[in-house]
Amino acid sequence: MYGSGLRFLIRNFCIGSTCLIFQLSAFAQGFCNIDNTSFMAGEKITYEVFYTLAGIYVGAGEVSFTVSLEKFKGRPVYHVVGDGKTYRSYDWFYKVRDRYESYIDTATLLPLKFIRNIHEGGYKKYELVNFDQQEHTATTLKGVYNVPNCIQDVLSAVYFARNLNYDQYHPGDRIYFDMFLDNKVYNIYIRYLGKEKVQTRFGEFNAIKIKPLLIEGTIFKGGEGMVVWVSDDPNHIPVRIESPIIVGSIKADMIEYQGIRYPFTSLIKAN
């Protein structure tokens, strides 16, 4: 159960084989070539993931996201890696070693390549996707698929969403976009809820509050059960994530960061 929760965090604000997926669409023109104003190469954000049942929280693992600057087919890209793993003390119960990678065009913030390599208990899966953003195709190990303009993968979508200007939205507004996952195209949304203070294990933050739409599956209920608090500063870093699951719930708090682009001005008080 925790393994699906960990994978869910990586995938979508990033985790679960059932998935939360958030997406942007033609709702706002110009999103195909949005400028990166929130992150830079060298950034690393680490989260601790907790599982809770009957009000008791248990720290079960960590997820980290790193950004480096590389070349892919001669083009500069952000190589974003999401690594999730259970703590060794938890491995006996359900061992997780997940890795997600996205190669994102620095000029458009659109993905050119996506890799998913997951090991969860006795379950393993490898996925490779090459995107042709001009021809609007996604080539996987199972074939070639037509995709909409400005398609995202589950990891690139997180960094794309971090560059949204939430000040232009009103509480309750939906922000749509398209994502390719498991050989399918999903059109879902993020609902903007407004701004508030949030207390995390790291400290207290001024935050932007959003609800990504979840796709129903074996672990996560469909709908808007997940809540994400994003730092209300130019970094737009998720600082807390909460979501109910079929039994209990999960929570993920940012616990470490380095190489961020701007000062963490949203941090009111560190713990």
Side-chain angles (χ1 to χ4, degrees):
M1 186 174 300
Y2 166 74
S4 292
L6 183 62
R7 176 169 20 121
F8 168 75
L9 178 62
I10 293 182
R11 242 155 111 162
N12 314 278
F13 243 21
C14 318
I15 299 188
S17 76
T18 47
C19 62
L20 144 101
I21 306 177
F22 32 112
Q23 311 215 25
L24 244 178
S25 83
F27 179 80
Q29 295 181 355
F31 280 178
C32 284
N33 293 287
I34 194 170
D35 292 330
N36 174 27
T37 60
S38 68
F39 66 91
M40 65 180 184
E43 181 189 89
K44 181 177 182 180
I45 312 295
T46 302
Y47 299 84
E48 185 169 11
V49 181
F50 300 85
Y51 169 70
T52 181
L53 182 63
I56 300 175
Y57 280 91
V58 178
E62 289 188 0
V63 178
S64 66
F65 298 88
T66 60
V67 182
S68 60
L69 188 62
E70 300 180 11
K71 286 286 187 71
F72 179 74
K73 295 184 177 180
R75 304 175 69 171
V77 295
Y78 295 113
H79 182 196
V80 179
V81 177
D83 273 312
K85 62 181 180 181
T86 45
Y87 293 136
R88 291 189 180 278
S89 60
Y90 202 91
D91 281 349
W92 68 273
F93 180 69
Y94 196 96
K95 184 176 181 179
V96 174
R97 297 292 185 271
D98 288 352
R99 184 178 176 89
Y100 290 69
E101 300 179 61
S102 184
Y103 295 79
I104 305 170
D105 191 325
T106 60
T108 64
L109 290 190
L110 296 175
L112 302 179
K113 182 180 180 179
F114 173 70
I115 300 171
R116 178 167 54 148
N117 192 4
I118 58 176
H119 299 256
E120 300 169 354
Y123 178 78
K124 296 182 179 181
K125 182 169 185 178
Y126 178 81
E127 183 178 8
L128 171 64
V129 184
N130 283 288
F131 294 98
D132 189 324
Q133 297 288 350
Q134 284 70 44
E135 297 297 326
H136 310 307
T137 61
T139 302
T140 76
L141 299 175
K142 293 188 176 181
V144 179
Y145 299 83
N146 294 321
V147 296
N149 196 27
C150 309
I151 195 73
Q152 295 283 342
D153 63 49
V154 294
L155 195 51
S156 68
V158 175
Y159 289 81
F160 192 84
R162 283 178 56 183
N163 283 284
L164 295 176
N165 178 11
Y166 290 98
D167 288 336
Q168 68 181 330
Y169 300 108
H170 302 285
D173 283 353
R174 296 178 180 183
I175 309 166
Y176 295 87
F177 60 94
D178 295 316
M179 180 185 300
F180 186 79
L181 178 68
D182 289 331
N183 302 310
K184 295 180 181 179
V185 174
Y186 294 91
N187 178 256
I188 311 185
Y189 61 82
I190 300 170
R191 185 187 295 276
Y192 172 65
L193 298 179
K195 298 183 179 184
E196 67 180 27
K197 292 180 174 62
V198 62
Q199 184 68 46
T200 74
R201 292 191 70 227
F202 191 91
E204 185 179 16
F205 288 88
N206 289 315
I208 298 163
K209 188 177 182 180
I210 60 176
K211 278 194 172 186
L213 182 67
L214 296 182
I215 295 177
E216 186 172 3
T218 58
I219 300 297
F220 293 93
K221 299 176 182 180
E224 298 182 4
M226 170 177 266
V227 181
V228 180
W229 288 266
V230 179
S231 65
D232 189 13
D233 55 39
N235 299 293
H236 284 172
I237 294 172
V239 293
R240 164 161 286 190
I241 302 159
E242 294 182 357
S243 180
I245 54 179
I246 299 302
V247 179
S249 63
I250 62 165
K251 178 174 68 175
D253 272 2
M254 185 200 74
I255 56 173
E256 293 181 1
Y257 69 90
Q258 64 185 55
I260 61 176
R261 187 163 178 173
Y262 307 99
F264 233 148
T265 56
S266 62
L267 179 61
I268 300 170
K269 184 180 180 180
N271 290 336

